Amino acid sequence: LIVQQVGTVSGTTPTWDGKIQDSADGSTDWQDVTGATFTQVTASNKIHAIKLEASQVRRYIRYVGTIDG
């Protein structure tokens, strides 16, 4: 279970996009994991979770977040 928790957001039209990527060696070939993109956050105090099975990902995973607005 991977949880994304976003606290206070500010700005004119704030957005937060989060996703999970995986890699075989933890340093190269990072790729988006299918079905592991969080719902876009546009308001404060949001929590989202994604359930992944070990068989869905390679050995290393990371969270990638993009802030805009």
Side-chain angles (χ1 to χ4, degrees), residues 7-55:
T8 303
V9 298
S10 62
T12 306
T13 53
T15 60
W16 182 288
D17 296 292
K19 64 184 176 183
I20 303 301
Q21 294 183 332
D22 69 356
S23 167
D25 63 11
S27 62
T28 62
D29 192 33
W30 289 98
Q31 296 180 17
D32 294 350
V33 175
T34 301
T37 300
F38 290 94
T39 302
Q40 185 178 69
V41 176
T42 58
S44 297
N45 304 318
K46 298 294 181 181
I47 298 174
H48 297 109
I50 293 174
K51 179 184 173 191
L52 292 175
E53 299 293 332
S55 61

